[in-house]
Amino acid sequence: MPTPSTVILGTGSFAPSRIMTNDDLSRIVDTSDEWIRTRTGIRERRIAGPSEKASDLGVEAARRALTDAGLTPADIDLLVVATFTPDQPLPSCASLLQKKLGIPTRSACFDVNAACTGFLYALDVASAMIASGRYRRALVVGTEKLSEVVDWEDRTTCVLFGDGAGAAVIGASEEPDRGLLGCLLGCDGSSADLLCIPGGPRDPASPPGARSDRLQMKGREIFKLAVRCMDESARDILEQQHVRADQISLVIPHQANQRIIDAIAEYLELPADRFFVNVDRFGNTSAASIPIALDEARRAGRIKRGDLVLLVAFGAGLTYGSALLRW
Ligand code: ACO
């Protein structure tokens, strides 16, 4: 196994206080708690208030991660924000977050858009920049206000998503046996139309009533690709790092659907309790999903020093990726 060059120094997460249950949703669209629970495992999700933007959710998660790491915003010289629901098209969510947190101006701050794989893309980029020796401490944030891009008249999508944020502080690894062992990223642009916000004028090929400024998804196709891509990415990183699946202490998968997580557990021949799951309480929070789950898993005592932790995700694009950590 190679010596890791970077390590996660602290984690944090934040979710808006408003809880929207499946029963609440059944009063908005033609759905039921039973349908949503059995098809997805989701029971409730958090919904941000009108003035609560992605950067506001990210600030709270970032502050908690900094506190956990025993650091302050002044210690950060790199901020990478994974989101596809920034407060506004320009400037980046990272610029707004930098100001709100008070991160020094001599810092690199930018957004990454890789949808639900965004946190892994941001983690890999930040880690490589630290490994270069040119940056010391990075704040990697995944934050989404998906309630703003969901079509609340489309029952096939609006029941799946929620708002939230998660963050991690990354630094150079000073111990040879701890840190990020490897990260693999991928993308299949030929599947881009399966999950998208087309934007612009309405596409004549899209279904009647579909809003081009809102999230559109071909759920069944995405389901199959999600299972295949996450399974392959997990296997690839295990092979690259010469680790067997049964050596993994905890898998933190992107939280999109309990059935997708169950299918991956079956393919990897791992018991269900080796997977951290909170999709029931948050739904799919896209780029925030893995860092929220990582933070909750840590705080719940599910990750111990020396554990091998596998992160694996897929998202619109179709992006996918995995990361292996020795905690
Ligand atoms: N409530 C009640 N009925 C519904 C709902 C709903 N919310 N949504 C769809 N239905 C109906 C459909 O209309 C259909 O009815 P019909 O048989 O009369 O035509 C029936 O339920 C079955 O619909 P399917 O789409 O076939 O249901 P499926 O079992 O495939 O589950 C789901 C749908 C949950 C969306 C599943 O396909 C899935 O999870 N796909 C992956 C989605 C995903 O993970 N997306 C996130 C991507 S990550 C990112 O980057 C944002």
Side-chain angles (χ1 to χ4, degrees):
M1 240 180 251
T3 304
S5 49
T6 58
V7 67
I8 293 183
L9 302 168
T11 62
S13 60
F14 177 78
S17 56
R18 183 179 163 208
I19 295 174
M20 184 184 271
T21 64
N22 293 343
D23 284 337
D24 293 334
L25 267 167
S26 70
R27 288 186 273 275
I28 302 173
V29 287
D30 180 14
T31 190
S32 66
D33 174 55
E34 204 265 334
W35 192 96
I36 301 171
R37 263 191 302 104
T38 53
R39 291 298 218 287
T40 71
I42 300 168
R43 292 171 184 273
E44 59 189 39
R45 69 287 295 142
R46 300 298 183 95
I47 302 294
S51 62
E52 225 173 358
K53 299 291 182 186
S55 69
D56 300 308
L57 307 181
V59 162
E60 293 306 322
R63 285 196 182 123
R64 291 173 189 188
L66 284 166
T67 303
D68 189 42
L71 297 171
T72 71
D75 298 312
I76 298 297
D77 58 0
L78 172 62
L79 171 62
V80 188
V81 178
T83 186
F84 78 92
T85 52
D87 302 22
Q88 53 197 65
L90 203 69
S92 70
C93 195
S95 294
L96 304 175
L97 207 50
Q98 179 207 26
K99 182 177 158 222
K100 289 178 183 178
L101 285 167
I103 288 174
T105 50
R106 285 191 182 178
S107 308
C109 302
F110 59 93
D111 288 2
V112 163
N113 176 353
C116 304
T117 320
F119 184 77
L120 296 187
Y121 270 70
L123 180 69
D124 199 23
V125 168
S127 200
M129 289 174 77
I130 287 178
S132 76
R134 294 171 54 210
Y135 297 86
R136 288 188 61 246
R137 300 247 194 265
L139 188 54
V140 179
V141 180
T143 184
E144 302 280 14
K145 188 177 182 184
L146 299 177
S147 57
E148 253 177 15
V149 297
V150 158
D151 182 347
W152 288 102
E153 292 180 4
D154 177 7
R155 69 174 183 173
T156 67
T157 52
C158 74
V159 302
L160 303 174
F161 300 97
D163 301 333
V169 180
I170 318 288
S173 176
E174 280 152 17
E175 296 159 81
D177 60 338
R178 286 185 73 205
L180 180 64
L181 301 172
C183 204
L184 286 179
L185 303 176
C187 180
D188 175 6
S190 67
S191 300
D193 63 326
L194 297 181
L195 178 50
C196 57
I197 302 172
R202 198 178 160 277
D203 178 355
S206 62
R211 286 186 58 172
S212 59
D213 61 340
R214 296 295 160 118
L215 201 136
Q216 299 177 7
M217 183 180 73
K218 297 195 174 82
R220 284 201 165 190
E221 288 92 326
I222 287 283
F223 191 105
K224 286 182 224 148
L225 284 171
V227 174
R228 202 185 75 207
C229 291
M230 289 212 280
D231 175 51
E232 280 177 12
S233 190
R235 282 173 195 282
D236 286 350
I237 199 148
L238 294 178
E239 191 183 319
Q240 187 202 61
Q241 300 298 324
H242 309 292
V243 168
R244 293 188 319 274
D246 64 13
Q247 291 177 286
I248 301 296
S249 304
L250 192 66
V251 183
I252 300 186
H254 170 48
Q255 309 283 317
N257 185 321
Q258 179 70 57
R259 283 160 54 215
I260 293 176
I261 296 171
D262 292 344
I264 293 158
E266 201 179 311
Y267 282 21
L268 292 176
E269 295 179 50
L270 285 175
D273 64 5
R274 217 71 78 81
F275 284 70
F276 188 83
V277 176
N278 63 10
V279 70
D280 52 324
R281 288 179 291 117
F282 294 108
N284 181 347
T285 57
S286 191
S289 145
I290 284 192
I292 293 175
L294 177 62
D295 184 50
E296 285 205 329
R298 275 198 57 225
R299 289 175 199 263
R302 295 280 305 271
I303 304 177
K304 297 183 303 297
R305 179 79 193 259
D307 279 354
L308 277 171
V309 180
L310 174 67
L311 314 180
V312 60
F314 75 98
L318 189 126
T319 58
Y320 54 91
S322 53
L324 189 65
L325 298 140
R326 170 80 71 182
W327 205 264

